[in-house]
Each structure stands twice: as structure tokens, then as C-alpha cells.
Amino acid sequence: MSTPAATDNMAATLTIIPLPAFNDNYIWLIHRAEHSDAYVVDPGDATPVLHYLAANNSHLSGILLTHHHSDHTGGIARLKAAFPDVKIYGPAQESISSITSALQGNEEIFLPELNCSAKVLSVPGHTSGHIAYLLQNNLFCGDTLFSGGCGRLFEGTAEQMYRSLAQFATLDDNVKVYCAHEYTLANLAFAQTVEPNNSDIRQYLDWCQQQRQHHLPTLPSSIGLEKRINPFLRCNEHSVQAQVANHCGQKTSNSTQVFTQLRQWKDNF
Ligand SMILES: [Zn+2]
């Protein structure tokens, strides 16, 4: 039988729960199975978070923010009113007034209530200061990577977004991807147009349609799966390059240029 000290030294097992918000957002709630302290990622709305915490007799210890958009930050004021000691982590490069710990890329922070550290990744593109969090093998990527797609370029450049996604692609295939929106079905319709002969996309689409018919999330995804089905992570593939060239009437094998054209194509899809 393990002593309490030995138990604390073991890697914490995290439980991660999707709290649906608005039309298609997920606020990811993280806690340790045996503990009542929770963190949330990108709480655009306080209501689903407060309901969950009350129903489970839980305390909100921390908030992890990926970027400044209001559908990711709009719930902070009410959460802070309910839990005045809550720690609020967010990107140093973006002005979010409520942040108590401003983070840079490549930082590693320790989250004591989860007994777990988080690696911070700088992933500009959707916004100019966007960050992502890697907790064990769980990636919280905000609006940078979606299953089958990627975020729109509101502030950053296509080159920045391509580098950010390339950074994700270097992670282990078994890293789970917790995106902030349920966009998978729409993204896969585009992915199939780009790669009509990709059988992985076809199989995954079948599974996602069943999930959505039962009102279940298609997330989390994984890095390994995204590398097989997400055209934005497949700009080196000849099949993707050929379809992009066909659509744009301009042939290139420069993967950043392929990404740029693919993103423009999706914007008008
Ligand atoms: Zn956003």
C-alpha cells in the first residue's frame, strides 16, 4: 500500500471534461479524479462552469487562457467574483486585464492543485500572442488547431500559423488535442474536397457523424490522427499540393505557400 507521500510523487491522473458553451465552444475543465480543485481553459461563459462546479462541489483554482477573444475570456469576471483567489494564466503578448500570471512561449509552470506542470507553447497566427498549454499528453490549443482544420488568421500571418501548426506536428502522435470549438464536421467536408481519396478522412467522418447524432463531442482528437486527416498538417503531401495547384491555378511545392493557398481556399469554401 502506498503512503500519501508516495502517491503525491506519482504523476497525477487528470480528468478532462468538455463544458459546451454558446453554439459550438468547449470550455475544458481539468481536475484530479480524487480532488475537488479544478482548472478551466478559455471560459467564454461563466454559467456552464459555475453549474458544473456547484453540482460537483468543486472549487475553481485556476484559469488557463489561450488568447484574448471574448468567446474565450467573457466568463472571467463572474468566475473571479465567485472564486476571488482564482489564478488566471494567459499570454503575455496580449492585453487581458485580469491575468495574474503572464506567460511566454517555452515557459513551464507548475499547477499545484493538479499536481502537474504545463508547458507553454507560443503559437501565433489566429491572434498575434496566442499560446497553447501541454499538460502531460494533453494539448489545449485554443483556436490554433481544430480537428480537420485550423483557426482563421485574424492577426497573425500564414507563415506564423504554419510554423505554429508545425510545432504541434512535432509532438507525440498520442498527444490528445483539446480544441476550443466543435468544427469537425464542417472541416472534414473541406478536407474531403482537398483529399477525396483519403480513406482515413472517410472513416473518421463516419465516426464523427455518429458522435454528433448522439450529441457527443468529436474531441479530443490526437496529433497522430490530425496528421492523417487534417489538410493543414499535410501541406507536404503530393495529393494536397496537386489539389491546391488545381484549385488556385498555380503550382508550388513550397509547403508554406501551399498552406497559405489552402487557408484562402477554406476561407471561401
Ligand atoms: Zn479566437
PDB file of all heavy atoms in Angstrom, residues 232-267:
ATOM      1  N   PHE A 232      -4.347  20.884 -43.318  1.00  0.00           N
ATOM      2  CA  PHE A 232      -3.422  21.957 -42.929  1.00  0.00           C
ATOM      3  C   PHE A 232      -2.132  21.407 -42.303  1.00  0.00           C
ATOM      4  O   PHE A 232      -1.150  22.125 -42.188  1.00  0.00           O
ATOM      5  CB  PHE A 232      -4.119  22.934 -41.971  1.00  0.00           C
ATOM      6  CG  PHE A 232      -5.227  23.683 -42.652  1.00  0.00           C
ATOM      7  CD1 PHE A 232      -6.547  23.256 -42.525  1.00  0.00           C
ATOM      8  CD2 PHE A 232      -4.963  24.786 -43.440  1.00  0.00           C
ATOM      9  CE1 PHE A 232      -7.576  23.926 -43.175  1.00  0.00           C
ATOM     10  CE2 PHE A 232      -5.979  25.464 -44.092  1.00  0.00           C
ATOM     11  CZ  PHE A 232      -7.291  25.026 -43.959  1.00  0.00           C
ATOM     12  N   LEU A 233      -2.160  20.129 -41.892  1.00  0.00           N
ATOM     13  CA  LEU A 233      -0.939  19.474 -41.412  1.00  0.00           C
ATOM     14  C   LEU A 233      -0.328  18.586 -42.492  1.00  0.00           C
ATOM     15  O   LEU A 233       0.613  17.840 -42.231  1.00  0.00           O
ATOM     16  CB  LEU A 233      -1.240  18.618 -40.166  1.00  0.00           C
ATOM     17  CG  LEU A 233      -1.675  19.352 -38.903  1.00  0.00           C
ATOM     18  CD1 LEU A 233      -1.886  18.349 -37.775  1.00  0.00           C
ATOM     19  CD2 LEU A 233      -0.653  20.401 -38.486  1.00  0.00           C
ATOM     20  N   ARG A 234      -0.878  18.670 -43.710  1.00  0.00           N
ATOM     21  CA  ARG A 234      -0.467  17.758 -44.776  1.00  0.00           C
ATOM     22  C   ARG A 234      -0.013  18.525 -46.026  1.00  0.00           C
ATOM     23  O   ARG A 234      -0.148  18.040 -47.141  1.00  0.00           O
ATOM     24  CB  ARG A 234      -1.626  16.808 -45.104  1.00  0.00           C
ATOM     25  CG  ARG A 234      -1.971  15.894 -43.929  1.00  0.00           C
ATOM     26  CD  ARG A 234      -3.257  15.109 -44.130  1.00  0.00           C
ATOM     27  NE  ARG A 234      -3.257  14.268 -45.313  1.00  0.00           N
ATOM     28  CZ  ARG A 234      -2.613  13.100 -45.405  1.00  0.00           C
ATOM     29  NH1 ARG A 234      -1.951  12.615 -44.374  1.00  0.00           N
ATOM     30  NH2 ARG A 234      -2.645  12.408 -46.524  1.00  0.00           N
ATOM     31  N   CYS A 235       0.542  19.719 -45.798  1.00  0.00           N
ATOM     32  CA  CYS A 235       0.944  20.552 -46.942  1.00  0.00           C
ATOM     33  C   CYS A 235       2.163  19.998 -47.663  1.00  0.00           C
ATOM     34  O   CYS A 235       2.511  20.475 -48.745  1.00  0.00           O
ATOM     35  CB  CYS A 235       1.204  21.986 -46.477  1.00  0.00           C
ATOM     36  SG  CYS A 235      -0.297  22.781 -45.887  1.00  0.00           S
ATOM     37  N   ASN A 236       2.829  18.990 -47.075  1.00  0.00           N
ATOM     38  CA  ASN A 236       3.953  18.330 -47.760  1.00  0.00           C
ATOM     39  C   ASN A 236       3.485  17.181 -48.653  1.00  0.00           C
ATOM     40  O   ASN A 236       4.280  16.640 -49.414  1.00  0.00           O
ATOM     41  CB  ASN A 236       4.949  17.760 -46.738  1.00  0.00           C
ATOM     42  CG  ASN A 236       5.738  18.862 -46.064  1.00  0.00           C
ATOM     43  OD1 ASN A 236       6.164  19.814 -46.725  1.00  0.00           O
ATOM     44  ND2 ASN A 236       5.916  18.749 -44.768  1.00  0.00           N
ATOM     45  N   GLU A 237       2.217  16.788 -48.533  1.00  0.00           N
ATOM     46  CA  GLU A 237       1.706  15.648 -49.299  1.00  0.00           C
ATOM     47  C   GLU A 237       1.465  16.053 -50.754  1.00  0.00           C
ATOM     48  O   GLU A 237       0.858  17.097 -51.020  1.00  0.00           O
ATOM     49  CB  GLU A 237       0.383  15.142 -48.701  1.00  0.00           C
ATOM     50  CG  GLU A 237       0.489  14.617 -47.283  1.00  0.00           C
ATOM     51  CD  GLU A 237       1.201  13.273 -47.213  1.00  0.00           C
ATOM     52  OE1 GLU A 237       1.121  12.485 -48.181  1.00  0.00           O
ATOM     53  OE2 GLU A 237       1.855  13.030 -46.184  1.00  0.00           O
ATOM     54  N   HIS A 238       1.893  15.193 -51.675  1.00  0.00           N
ATOM     55  CA  HIS A 238       1.698  15.493 -53.097  1.00  0.00           C
ATOM     56  C   HIS A 238       0.220  15.629 -53.438  1.00  0.00           C
ATOM     57  O   HIS A 238      -0.164  16.468 -54.241  1.00  0.00           O
ATOM     58  CB  HIS A 238       2.346  14.408 -53.959  1.00  0.00           C
ATOM     59  CG  HIS A 238       3.841  14.409 -53.867  1.00  0.00           C
ATOM     60  ND1 HIS A 238       4.592  15.557 -54.053  1.00  0.00           N
ATOM     61  CD2 HIS A 238       4.734  13.430 -53.589  1.00  0.00           C
ATOM     62  CE1 HIS A 238       5.874  15.270 -53.894  1.00  0.00           C
ATOM     63  NE2 HIS A 238       5.988  13.991 -53.598  1.00  0.00           N
ATOM     64  N   SER A 239      -0.617  14.790 -52.808  1.00  0.00           N
ATOM     65  CA  SER A 239      -2.050  14.832 -53.114  1.00  0.00           C
ATOM     66  C   SER A 239      -2.635  16.199 -52.749  1.00  0.00           C
ATOM     67  O   SER A 239      -3.437  16.771 -53.496  1.00  0.00           O
ATOM     68  CB  SER A 239      -2.782  13.720 -52.360  1.00  0.00           C
ATOM     69  OG  SER A 239      -2.505  13.807 -50.970  1.00  0.00           O
ATOM     70  N   VAL A 240      -2.212  16.750 -51.619  1.00  0.00           N
ATOM     71  CA  VAL A 240      -2.712  18.064 -51.189  1.00  0.00           C
ATOM     72  C   VAL A 240      -2.156  19.156 -52.110  1.00  0.00           C
ATOM     73  O   VAL A 240      -2.892  20.030 -52.584  1.00  0.00           O
ATOM     74  CB  VAL A 240      -2.321  18.339 -49.714  1.00  0.00           C
ATOM     75  CG1 VAL A 240      -2.665  19.770 -49.308  1.00  0.00           C
ATOM     76  CG2 VAL A 240      -3.006  17.336 -48.791  1.00  0.00           C
ATOM     77  N   GLN A 241      -0.872  19.065 -52.409  1.00  0.00           N
ATOM     78  CA  GLN A 241      -0.244  20.072 -53.273  1.00  0.00           C
ATOM     79  C   GLN A 241      -0.902  20.086 -54.658  1.00  0.00           C
ATOM     80  O   GLN A 241      -1.137  21.153 -55.229  1.00  0.00           O
ATOM     81  CB  GLN A 241       1.252  19.800 -53.389  1.00  0.00           C
ATOM     82  CG  GLN A 241       1.977  20.033 -52.063  1.00  0.00           C
ATOM     83  CD  GLN A 241       3.467  19.756 -52.138  1.00  0.00           C
ATOM     84  OE1 GLN A 241       3.980  19.293 -53.160  1.00  0.00           O
ATOM     85  NE2 GLN A 241       4.170  20.042 -51.047  1.00  0.00           N
ATOM     86  N   ALA A 242      -1.241  18.895 -55.179  1.00  0.00           N
ATOM     87  CA  ALA A 242      -1.837  18.814 -56.512  1.00  0.00           C
ATOM     88  C   ALA A 242      -3.229  19.443 -56.531  1.00  0.00           C
ATOM     89  O   ALA A 242      -3.570  20.195 -57.452  1.00  0.00           O
ATOM     90  CB  ALA A 242      -1.908  17.356 -56.957  1.00  0.00           C
ATOM     91  N   GLN A 243      -4.039  19.167 -55.485  1.00  0.00           N
ATOM     92  CA  GLN A 243      -5.394  19.738 -55.445  1.00  0.00           C
ATOM     93  C   GLN A 243      -5.353  21.252 -55.269  1.00  0.00           C
ATOM     94  O   GLN A 243      -6.158  21.976 -55.849  1.00  0.00           O
ATOM     95  CB  GLN A 243      -6.196  19.138 -54.285  1.00  0.00           C
ATOM     96  CG  GLN A 243      -6.901  17.849 -54.525  1.00  0.00           C
ATOM     97  CD  GLN A 243      -7.932  17.870 -55.622  1.00  0.00           C
ATOM     98  OE1 GLN A 243      -7.586  17.764 -56.794  1.00  0.00           O
ATOM     99  NE2 GLN A 243      -9.206  17.986 -55.271  1.00  0.00           N
ATOM    100  N   VAL A 244      -4.424  21.727 -54.441  1.00  0.00           N
ATOM    101  CA  VAL A 244      -4.292  23.177 -54.226  1.00  0.00           C
ATOM    102  C   VAL A 244      -3.877  23.845 -55.533  1.00  0.00           C
ATOM    103  O   VAL A 244      -4.429  24.883 -55.919  1.00  0.00           O
ATOM    104  CB  VAL A 244      -3.277  23.476 -53.085  1.00  0.00           C
ATOM    105  CG1 VAL A 244      -2.918  24.943 -53.042  1.00  0.00           C
ATOM    106  CG2 VAL A 244      -3.857  23.038 -51.745  1.00  0.00           C
ATOM    107  N   ALA A 245      -2.925  23.237 -56.239  1.00  0.00           N
ATOM    108  CA  ALA A 245      -2.476  23.790 -57.525  1.00  0.00           C
ATOM    109  C   ALA A 245      -3.632  23.822 -58.515  1.00  0.00           C
ATOM    110  O   ALA A 245      -3.832  24.809 -59.237  1.00  0.00           O
ATOM    111  CB  ALA A 245      -1.323  22.956 -58.083  1.00  0.00           C
ATOM    112  N   ASN A 246      -4.413  22.755 -58.518  1.00  0.00           N
ATOM    113  CA  ASN A 246      -5.562  22.656 -59.412  1.00  0.00           C
ATOM    114  C   ASN A 246      -6.593  23.745 -59.105  1.00  0.00           C
ATOM    115  O   ASN A 246      -7.133  24.389 -60.004  1.00  0.00           O
ATOM    116  CB  ASN A 246      -6.178  21.257 -59.240  1.00  0.00           C
ATOM    117  CG  ASN A 246      -7.224  20.976 -60.276  1.00  0.00           C
ATOM    118  OD1 ASN A 246      -7.086  21.423 -61.416  1.00  0.00           O
ATOM    119  ND2 ASN A 246      -8.261  20.246 -59.902  1.00  0.00           N
ATOM    120  N   HIS A 247      -6.828  23.968 -57.805  1.00  0.00           N
ATOM    121  CA  HIS A 247      -7.827  24.958 -57.396  1.00  0.00           C
ATOM    122  C   HIS A 247      -7.349  26.383 -57.669  1.00  0.00           C
ATOM    123  O   HIS A 247      -8.117  27.228 -58.103  1.00  0.00           O
ATOM    124  CB  HIS A 247      -8.152  24.796 -55.907  1.00  0.00           C
ATOM    125  CG  HIS A 247      -9.150  25.788 -55.406  1.00  0.00           C
ATOM    126  ND1 HIS A 247     -10.506  25.664 -55.648  1.00  0.00           N
ATOM    127  CD2 HIS A 247      -8.999  26.942 -54.714  1.00  0.00           C
ATOM    128  CE1 HIS A 247     -11.144  26.681 -55.114  1.00  0.00           C
ATOM    129  NE2 HIS A 247     -10.257  27.480 -54.537  1.00  0.00           N
ATOM    130  N   CYS A 248      -6.077  26.645 -57.369  1.00  0.00           N
ATOM    131  CA  CYS A 248      -5.553  28.015 -57.464  1.00  0.00           C
ATOM    132  C   CYS A 248      -4.956  28.318 -58.835  1.00  0.00           C
ATOM    133  O   CYS A 248      -4.654  29.471 -59.122  1.00  0.00           O
ATOM    134  CB  CYS A 248      -4.482  28.263 -56.412  1.00  0.00           C
ATOM    135  SG  CYS A 248      -5.063  27.966 -54.752  1.00  0.00           S
ATOM    136  N   GLY A 249      -4.747  27.289 -59.665  1.00  0.00           N
ATOM    137  CA  GLY A 249      -4.128  27.501 -60.965  1.00  0.00           C
ATOM    138  C   GLY A 249      -2.682  27.935 -60.856  1.00  0.00           C
ATOM    139  O   GLY A 249      -2.159  28.636 -61.720  1.00  0.00           O
ATOM    140  N   GLN A 250      -2.033  27.532 -59.761  1.00  0.00           N
ATOM    141  CA  GLN A 250      -0.652  27.959 -59.522  1.00  0.00           C
ATOM    142  C   GLN A 250       0.057  26.839 -58.779  1.00  0.00           C
ATOM    143  O   GLN A 250      -0.335  26.509 -57.651  1.00  0.00           O
ATOM    144  CB  GLN A 250      -0.685  29.243 -58.680  1.00  0.00           C
ATOM    145  CG  GLN A 250       0.636  29.946 -58.565  1.00  0.00           C
ATOM    146  CD  GLN A 250       0.550  31.091 -57.541  1.00  0.00           C
ATOM    147  OE1 GLN A 250      -0.527  31.443 -57.065  1.00  0.00           O
ATOM    148  NE2 GLN A 250       1.683  31.643 -57.195  1.00  0.00           N
ATOM    149  N   LYS A 251       1.067  26.263 -59.386  1.00  0.00           N
ATOM    150  CA  LYS A 251       1.716  25.088 -58.798  1.00  0.00           C
ATOM    151  C   LYS A 251       2.892  25.508 -57.915  1.00  0.00           C
ATOM    152  O   LYS A 251       3.709  26.328 -58.312  1.00  0.00           O
ATOM    153  CB  LYS A 251       2.206  24.187 -59.926  1.00  0.00           C
ATOM    154  CG  LYS A 251       2.557  22.773 -59.487  1.00  0.00           C
ATOM    155  CD  LYS A 251       2.783  21.903 -60.719  1.00  0.00           C
ATOM    156  CE  LYS A 251       3.468  20.593 -60.388  1.00  0.00           C
ATOM    157  NZ  LYS A 251       2.848  19.791 -59.356  1.00  0.00           N
ATOM    158  N   THR A 252       2.937  24.959 -56.699  1.00  0.00           N
ATOM    159  CA  THR A 252       4.081  25.200 -55.821  1.00  0.00           C
ATOM    160  C   THR A 252       4.294  23.985 -54.935  1.00  0.00           C
ATOM    161  O   THR A 252       3.338  23.294 -54.582  1.00  0.00           O
ATOM    162  CB  THR A 252       3.869  26.452 -54.942  1.00  0.00           C
ATOM    163  OG1 THR A 252       4.983  26.574 -54.054  1.00  0.00           O
ATOM    164  CG2 THR A 252       2.598  26.373 -54.120  1.00  0.00           C
ATOM    165  N   SER A 253       5.531  23.706 -54.618  1.00  0.00           N
ATOM    166  CA  SER A 253       5.809  22.641 -53.646  1.00  0.00           C
ATOM    167  C   SER A 253       6.360  23.232 -52.353  1.00  0.00           C
ATOM    168  O   SER A 253       6.749  22.507 -51.446  1.00  0.00           O
ATOM    169  CB  SER A 253       6.800  21.628 -54.230  1.00  0.00           C
ATOM    170  OG  SER A 253       7.989  22.295 -54.605  1.00  0.00           O
ATOM    171  N   ASN A 254       6.360  24.581 -52.265  1.00  0.00           N
ATOM    172  CA  ASN A 254       6.754  25.235 -51.011  1.00  0.00           C
ATOM    173  C   ASN A 254       5.593  25.085 -50.031  1.00  0.00           C
ATOM    174  O   ASN A 254       4.499  25.623 -50.259  1.00  0.00           O
ATOM    175  CB  ASN A 254       7.066  26.712 -51.300  1.00  0.00           C
ATOM    176  CG  ASN A 254       7.368  27.496 -50.033  1.00  0.00           C
ATOM    177  OD1 ASN A 254       6.599  27.455 -49.076  1.00  0.00           O
ATOM    178  ND2 ASN A 254       8.478  28.207 -50.025  1.00  0.00           N
ATOM    179  N   SER A 255       5.827  24.333 -48.937  1.00  0.00           N
ATOM    180  CA  SER A 255       4.691  23.969 -48.085  1.00  0.00           C
ATOM    181  C   SER A 255       4.058  25.176 -47.390  1.00  0.00           C
ATOM    182  O   SER A 255       2.852  25.171 -47.127  1.00  0.00           O
ATOM    183  CB  SER A 255       5.093  22.887 -47.087  1.00  0.00           C
ATOM    184  OG  SER A 255       6.278  23.226 -46.442  1.00  0.00           O
ATOM    185  N   THR A 256       4.822  26.223 -47.111  1.00  0.00           N
ATOM    186  CA  THR A 256       4.216  27.428 -46.527  1.00  0.00           C
ATOM    187  C   THR A 256       3.270  28.092 -47.531  1.00  0.00           C
ATOM    188  O   THR A 256       2.186  28.556 -47.171  1.00  0.00           O
ATOM    189  CB  THR A 256       5.302  28.427 -46.081  1.00  0.00           C
ATOM    190  OG1 THR A 256       6.242  27.751 -45.246  1.00  0.00           O
ATOM    191  CG2 THR A 256       4.704  29.586 -45.312  1.00  0.00           C
ATOM    192  N   GLN A 257       3.691  28.103 -48.800  1.00  0.00           N
ATOM    193  CA  GLN A 257       2.804  28.672 -49.832  1.00  0.00           C
ATOM    194  C   GLN A 257       1.569  27.796 -50.026  1.00  0.00           C
ATOM    195  O   GLN A 257       0.462  28.305 -50.230  1.00  0.00           O
ATOM    196  CB  GLN A 257       3.555  28.814 -51.150  1.00  0.00           C
ATOM    197  CG  GLN A 257       4.430  30.061 -51.209  1.00  0.00           C
ATOM    198  CD  GLN A 257       5.269  30.108 -52.480  1.00  0.00           C
ATOM    199  OE1 GLN A 257       4.905  29.515 -53.492  1.00  0.00           O
ATOM    200  NE2 GLN A 257       6.387  30.798 -52.404  1.00  0.00           N
ATOM    201  N   VAL A 258       1.763  26.481 -49.982  1.00  0.00           N
ATOM    202  CA  VAL A 258       0.618  25.570 -50.090  1.00  0.00           C
ATOM    203  C   VAL A 258      -0.355  25.855 -48.942  1.00  0.00           C
ATOM    204  O   VAL A 258      -1.571  25.972 -49.153  1.00  0.00           O
ATOM    205  CB  VAL A 258       1.083  24.090 -50.049  1.00  0.00           C
ATOM    206  CG1 VAL A 258      -0.117  23.148 -49.988  1.00  0.00           C
ATOM    207  CG2 VAL A 258       1.952  23.771 -51.251  1.00  0.00           C
ATOM    208  N   PHE A 259       0.184  26.019 -47.729  1.00  0.00           N
ATOM    209  CA  PHE A 259      -0.660  26.323 -46.578  1.00  0.00           C
ATOM    210  C   PHE A 259      -1.425  27.630 -46.794  1.00  0.00           C
ATOM    211  O   PHE A 259      -2.633  27.719 -46.521  1.00  0.00           O
ATOM    212  CB  PHE A 259       0.185  26.422 -45.297  1.00  0.00           C
ATOM    213  CG  PHE A 259      -0.619  26.892 -44.117  1.00  0.00           C
ATOM    214  CD1 PHE A 259      -1.407  25.994 -43.403  1.00  0.00           C
ATOM    215  CD2 PHE A 259      -0.638  28.229 -43.743  1.00  0.00           C
ATOM    216  CE1 PHE A 259      -2.180  26.425 -42.333  1.00  0.00           C
ATOM    217  CE2 PHE A 259      -1.404  28.659 -42.681  1.00  0.00           C
ATOM    218  CZ  PHE A 259      -2.182  27.758 -41.979  1.00  0.00           C
ATOM    219  N   THR A 260      -0.733  28.657 -47.278  1.00  0.00           N
ATOM    220  CA  THR A 260      -1.360  29.969 -47.493  1.00  0.00           C
ATOM    221  C   THR A 260      -2.536  29.856 -48.462  1.00  0.00           C
ATOM    222  O   THR A 260      -3.623  30.395 -48.210  1.00  0.00           O
ATOM    223  CB  THR A 260      -0.308  30.957 -48.044  1.00  0.00           C
ATOM    224  OG1 THR A 260       0.809  30.973 -47.150  1.00  0.00           O
ATOM    225  CG2 THR A 260      -0.879  32.361 -48.173  1.00  0.00           C
ATOM    226  N   GLN A 261      -2.323  29.115 -49.552  1.00  0.00           N
ATOM    227  CA  GLN A 261      -3.391  28.955 -50.551  1.00  0.00           C
ATOM    228  C   GLN A 261      -4.538  28.105 -50.005  1.00  0.00           C
ATOM    229  O   GLN A 261      -5.708  28.383 -50.273  1.00  0.00           O
ATOM    230  CB  GLN A 261      -2.813  28.322 -51.823  1.00  0.00           C
ATOM    231  CG  GLN A 261      -1.865  29.280 -52.548  1.00  0.00           C
ATOM    232  CD  GLN A 261      -1.113  28.608 -53.683  1.00  0.00           C
ATOM    233  OE1 GLN A 261      -1.104  27.380 -53.794  1.00  0.00           O
ATOM    234  NE2 GLN A 261      -0.463  29.406 -54.509  1.00  0.00           N
ATOM    235  N   LEU A 262      -4.182  27.095 -49.203  1.00  0.00           N
ATOM    236  CA  LEU A 262      -5.197  26.223 -48.602  1.00  0.00           C
ATOM    237  C   LEU A 262      -6.082  27.026 -47.637  1.00  0.00           C
ATOM    238  O   LEU A 262      -7.301  26.890 -47.622  1.00  0.00           O
ATOM    239  CB  LEU A 262      -4.472  25.095 -47.866  1.00  0.00           C
ATOM    240  CG  LEU A 262      -5.212  23.823 -47.485  1.00  0.00           C
ATOM    241  CD1 LEU A 262      -5.826  23.152 -48.702  1.00  0.00           C
ATOM    242  CD2 LEU A 262      -4.250  22.871 -46.775  1.00  0.00           C
ATOM    243  N   ARG A 263      -5.459  27.889 -46.848  1.00  0.00           N
ATOM    244  CA  ARG A 263      -6.202  28.712 -45.887  1.00  0.00           C
ATOM    245  C   ARG A 263      -7.151  29.677 -46.628  1.00  0.00           C
ATOM    246  O   ARG A 263      -8.298  29.853 -46.222  1.00  0.00           O
ATOM    247  CB  ARG A 263      -5.204  29.464 -44.990  1.00  0.00           C
ATOM    248  CG  ARG A 263      -5.740  30.257 -43.804  1.00  0.00           C
ATOM    249  CD  ARG A 263      -6.542  29.474 -42.814  1.00  0.00           C
ATOM    250  NE  ARG A 263      -7.959  29.627 -43.047  1.00  0.00           N
ATOM    251  CZ  ARG A 263      -8.914  29.070 -42.320  1.00  0.00           C
ATOM    252  NH1 ARG A 263      -8.622  28.320 -41.279  1.00  0.00           N
ATOM    253  NH2 ARG A 263     -10.180  29.234 -42.604  1.00  0.00           N
ATOM    254  N   GLN A 264      -6.669  30.253 -47.735  1.00  0.00           N
ATOM    255  CA  GLN A 264      -7.524  31.157 -48.526  1.00  0.00           C
ATOM    256  C   GLN A 264      -8.694  30.389 -49.141  1.00  0.00           C
ATOM    257  O   GLN A 264      -9.826  30.878 -49.176  1.00  0.00           O
ATOM    258  CB  GLN A 264      -6.699  31.837 -49.627  1.00  0.00           C
ATOM    259  CG  GLN A 264      -5.817  32.959 -49.092  1.00  0.00           C
ATOM    260  CD  GLN A 264      -4.799  33.444 -50.123  1.00  0.00           C
ATOM    261  OE1 GLN A 264      -4.744  32.937 -51.242  1.00  0.00           O
ATOM    262  NE2 GLN A 264      -3.982  34.404 -49.722  1.00  0.00           N
ATOM    263  N   TRP A 265      -8.394  29.188 -49.635  1.00  0.00           N
ATOM    264  CA  TRP A 265      -9.432  28.335 -50.219  1.00  0.00           C
ATOM    265  C   TRP A 265     -10.510  28.050 -49.170  1.00  0.00           C
ATOM    266  O   TRP A 265     -11.710  28.204 -49.413  1.00  0.00           O
ATOM    267  CB  TRP A 265      -8.785  27.063 -50.739  1.00  0.00           C
ATOM    268  CG  TRP A 265      -9.682  26.079 -51.426  1.00  0.00           C
ATOM    269  CD1 TRP A 265     -11.014  26.215 -51.711  1.00  0.00           C
ATOM    270  CD2 TRP A 265      -9.290  24.783 -51.928  1.00  0.00           C
ATOM    271  NE1 TRP A 265     -11.476  25.088 -52.347  1.00  0.00           N
ATOM    272  CE2 TRP A 265     -10.457  24.207 -52.483  1.00  0.00           C
ATOM    273  CE3 TRP A 265      -8.085  24.067 -51.943  1.00  0.00           C
ATOM    274  CZ2 TRP A 265     -10.425  22.930 -53.070  1.00  0.00           C
ATOM    275  CZ3 TRP A 265      -8.078  22.805 -52.514  1.00  0.00           C
ATOM    276  CH2 TRP A 265      -9.235  22.241 -53.077  1.00  0.00           C
ATOM    277  N   LYS A 266     -10.081  27.658 -47.967  1.00  0.00           N
ATOM    278  CA  LYS A 266     -11.036  27.349 -46.891  1.00  0.00           C
ATOM    279  C   LYS A 266     -11.846  28.587 -46.488  1.00  0.00           C
ATOM    280  O   LYS A 266     -13.039  28.479 -46.173  1.00  0.00           O
ATOM    281  CB  LYS A 266     -10.277  26.782 -45.681  1.00  0.00           C
ATOM    282  CG  LYS A 266     -11.122  26.508 -44.432  1.00  0.00           C
ATOM    283  CD  LYS A 266     -12.040  25.305 -44.632  1.00  0.00           C
ATOM    284  CE  LYS A 266     -12.629  24.737 -43.345  1.00  0.00           C
ATOM    285  NZ  LYS A 266     -13.206  25.652 -42.406  1.00  0.00           N
ATOM    286  N   ASP A 267     -11.216  29.752 -46.493  1.00  0.00           N
ATOM    287  CA  ASP A 267     -11.930  30.986 -46.129  1.00  0.00           C
ATOM    288  C   ASP A 267     -13.133  31.221 -47.045  1.00  0.00           C
ATOM    289  O   ASP A 267     -14.112  31.849 -46.642  1.00  0.00           O
ATOM    290  CB  ASP A 267     -10.993  32.204 -46.219  1.00  0.00           C
ATOM    291  CG  ASP A 267     -10.018  32.250 -45.065  1.00  0.00           C
ATOM    292  OD1 ASP A 267     -10.261  31.575 -44.046  1.00  0.00           O
ATOM    293  OD2 ASP A 267      -9.004  32.977 -45.178  1.00  0.00           O
TER     294      ASP A 267
END
